[in-house]
Amino acid sequence: MKDPISKSLDENCTPYLAKQMLRQLSFLERSCAIFDEGDRDEAIRIGGVLRTLIHDTGSSTSLLQQMGIKDEIHLASSCELIPIKVQTLIFDEDPEGYVEGVRNGNVVFAADPLTIIDDNNVIQPILGKDGKYYPLSVIEWWEKFSPVVMPVDKYFTRKQIITWAANKDGASHVDKYPGKYKELDEGFWMQNGEKTPEHQFVLLRQFAFEFLKGNDIIEVRKYCEQKCNR
C-alpha cells in the first residue's frame, strides 16, 4: 500500500503541476543563493515563492493544495515547540531571547531564535547551525506556530511575514504594510546600543531553508522529477 503522500500525488499531480513545483523550488534555491551573496532584498522574492507554494485564498489555490499534499506533508522547523500552556510570555535573562512561555491563544511559540547577530551587528539566519529540525504539519508551520517573538508579548507567524512580503513589500504588490511588519523592518533587538534592521529579510531566508530541508519536500521533488522524466 502506498503512503498517503504518494497516493495523493498519484491522484492529483499532473506533469504540469510537477513542472511548476520544480520551477518554484528552483526559484527558491536561486533566491537563496543571491541572498547569501549579499543581496538581501532578494528575500522579498523568497516570500513570493513561499506564498505561491503554501497560501490559499478565496480566489487562489496554493501549489501544495493543487497537488493534494498540503494536508499530508510535514515541513521542517528549525526551532522546537514547548508544550506548556500559559497566558503571557515570560522572557528569561539570557541574551539570545529564549522563550519560556509558549502559548497565547492558538499560537505556539518557539523555544529558540531563528536568527543570530554577528560581530558586525548584522542579523543573520541560523540556517542549519545546530543540525536539528522538527517536523510540523503545514498548518502548524504556516500559522499555528510563531517562530518569532518580539518584546512586549508580540509575535509573528510565518504566514504573516511571508504574505506581508508578497502582498505589501513588493513580491506581488506594493502597499502600506502593517505596523508590526514595519517594526521588523526598522529593527527591534538591540546590539551595542543599535537596532538590528531588516529582520524580515533574514527570517524569509530561514523559512526558505526550512522549506527546502524538509524530508517530505525532498521526496516530493524526487516524485516531480520522475514525473517530468528528469
Side-chain angles (χ1 to χ4, degrees), residues 28 42-52 162-163 165-166 171 204:
L28 208 53
E42 190 66 23
I44 297 300
R45 278 203 253 248
I46 289 175
V49 174
L50 290 173
R51 183 192 184 283
T52 297
I162 291 167
T163 56
L204 289 163

Side-chain angles (χ1 to χ4, degrees), residues 176-223:
K176 182 178 180 180
Y177 43 69
K180 287 172 68 175
Y181 187 82
K182 184 177 180 181
E183 290 181 80
L184 281 174
D185 189 52
E186 294 178 348
F188 54 88
W189 294 120
M190 301 293 290
Q191 179 79 353
N192 299 324
E194 299 178 2
K195 288 185 176 181
T196 55
E198 298 180 342
H199 204 137
Q200 77 278 24
F201 290 175
V202 182
L203 291 166
L204 289 163
R205 174 64 180 92
Q206 185 66 30
F207 299 160
F209 176 86
E210 293 177 328
F211 190 91
L212 293 167
K213 196 70 176 179
N215 290 333
D216 287 348
I217 291 297
I218 291 171
E219 292 303 314
V220 168
R221 180 176 215 156
K222 291 178 182 177
Y223 181 96

Side-chain angles (χ1 to χ4, degrees), residues 87-150:
Q87 294 301 314
T88 59
L89 295 180
I90 303 171
F91 291 86
D92 59 21
E93 298 299 322
D94 79 61
E96 294 185 350
Y98 287 85
V99 179
E100 294 176 355
V102 296
R103 282 192 184 267
N104 187 337
N106 292 320
V107 179
V108 182
F109 290 89
D112 305 294
L114 295 182
T115 58
I116 56 176
I117 299 174
D118 65 21
D119 293 338
N120 296 316
N121 197 35
V122 177
I123 193 166
Q124 303 286 358
I126 63 169
L127 300 181
K129 182 180 178 182
D130 59 6
K132 295 179 181 178
Y133 308 101
Y134 306 91
L136 298 176
S137 69
V138 173
I139 192 68
E140 288 174 328
W141 190 91
W142 184 238
E143 60 183 321
K144 293 294 184 181
F145 169 45
S146 175
V148 187
V149 181
M150 291 173 58

Side-chain angles (χ1 to χ4, degrees), residues 12-42:
N12 298 284
C13 185
T14 63
Y16 172 74
L17 290 179
K19 179 180 178 180
Q20 290 294 331
M21 172 57 78
L22 295 175
R23 178 181 291 168
Q24 295 300 318
L25 293 176
S26 293
F27 287 163
L28 208 53
E29 289 173 331
R30 287 200 293 273
S31 287
C32 287
I34 292 170
F35 179 99
D36 293 345
E37 290 171 358
D39 189 349
R40 293 200 162 199
D41 284 345
E42 190 66 23

